[in-house]
Amino acid sequence: MAPGLDEQKQRRRTEKRDEILAAAAEIFLSEGYGRASMDQVHAKIGGSKRTLYNYFRNKEALFEAIINEVSDRALAALKPPLQEDDLSSALLKMGTGYLTVLLSPEGLALYRAMISEAPHFPDLARAFFDNGPGRGSRHLANFIREQKARGVVDVNDPQIAAEQFLGAVRGDIHLAAALGIRQPSKQLVTATVTQAVETFVRGTELKCDNR
């Protein structure tokens, strides 16, 4: 059965929104939030300005959507893997996926843009933190909380544990990549995450044999 008119309309809206976000991300992440403009985005995608503003009411809303898109990919990497995985394997998959997103061209460009613009746009910086790193640590904290309830780990504060684990995963390699000093190899990413997992597992005093 052919899709109905409502489905076709929704698909076209989704495709148009994705087109706008892709064009905007290229501009915002290369020019920086302060120098980028809605006019630049409009010039890149063409069509009427009304269409652009129908999707995003202003520059800030558009940039927040870009933040959310990159953050959603990072969160997807932190979703608990298959139940049959033990804790170490689960954390290794989560950490590797998370760090891979951070080290992606979009992830690095977004981080650089926010570091540059944060002093001038504190509300935008707060939105970036809440929707990005903050969401990531809260998401992982829920997973650790579930593991604690099952008697797998013993931690006083799952939120702090999540923040510490993600901090160990990022290590220095994320900052080095953001500064353009070096782009880490897959082997270094794996080694960094593996070490972070081993440290976390030892520190949480497992109550069952998951090692």
Side-chain angles (χ1 to χ4, degrees):
M1 179 181 297
L5 293 178
D6 288 344
E7 291 181 54
Q8 293 178 12
K9 184 177 180 180
Q10 183 59 44
R11 185 172 66 248
R12 287 195 297 269
R13 281 190 59 82
T14 300
E15 290 172 351
K16 187 63 177 178
R17 186 179 187 275
D18 290 344
E19 178 190 354
I20 294 172
L21 281 176
E26 185 176 333
I27 294 170
F28 279 54
L29 299 182
S30 61
E31 298 291 331
Y33 179 83
R35 291 182 295 277
S37 70
M38 295 291 274
D39 285 341
Q40 288 175 290
V41 177
H42 171 248
K44 191 172 184 63
I45 64 174
S48 68
K49 280 191 176 182
R50 173 180 288 185
T51 298
L52 173 60
Y53 283 95
N54 279 341
Y55 284 87
F56 301 99
R57 66 185 182 277
N58 53 35
K59 186 171 78 167
E60 183 174 350
L62 180 52
F63 193 60
E64 285 185 11
I66 295 171
I67 292 173
N68 285 331
E69 186 178 71
V70 177
S71 299
D72 285 345
R73 291 204 295 273
L75 283 176
L78 290 175
K79 286 184 178 178
L82 299 176
Q83 293 299 314
E84 58 264 23
D85 287 343
D86 64 25
L87 180 66
S88 294
S89 297
L91 289 174
L92 183 61
K93 289 180 180 179
M94 290 181 186
T96 301
Y98 178 76
L99 187 55
T100 298
V101 172
L102 294 185
L103 294 173
S104 69
E106 297 88 352
L108 290 173
L110 179 59
Y111 177 80
R112 291 171 184 141
M114 288 312 310
I115 292 299
S116 173
E117 305 296 346
H120 311 293
F121 302 95
D123 290 341
L124 196 64
R126 171 58 61 181
F128 166 73
F129 182 82
D130 289 342
N131 295 330
R135 285 174 70 201
S137 62
R138 290 192 301 271
H139 193 83
L140 181 58
N142 288 335
F143 173 75
I144 295 174
R145 196 170 288 111
E146 292 171 0
Q147 298 300 305
K148 180 179 180 179
R150 292 172 52 198
V152 177
V153 298
D154 181 18
V155 294
N156 291 327
D157 191 321
Q159 180 63 40
I160 293 177
E163 293 171 6
Q164 290 176 337
F165 175 74
L166 293 179
V169 165
R170 289 189 298 270
D172 281 348
I173 66 174
H174 175 244
L175 181 57
L179 293 174
I181 297 174
R182 65 174 182 272
Q183 185 66 28
S185 64
K186 290 184 178 180
Q187 291 81 3
L188 180 57
V189 168
T190 299
T192 299
V193 178
T194 298
Q195 182 64 53
V197 171
E198 291 177 353
T199 300
F200 179 87
V201 169
R202 286 197 304 269
T204 54
E205 299 179 356
L206 295 182
K207 297 178 181 178
C208 60
D209 188 15
N210 279 330
R211 283 174 263 195

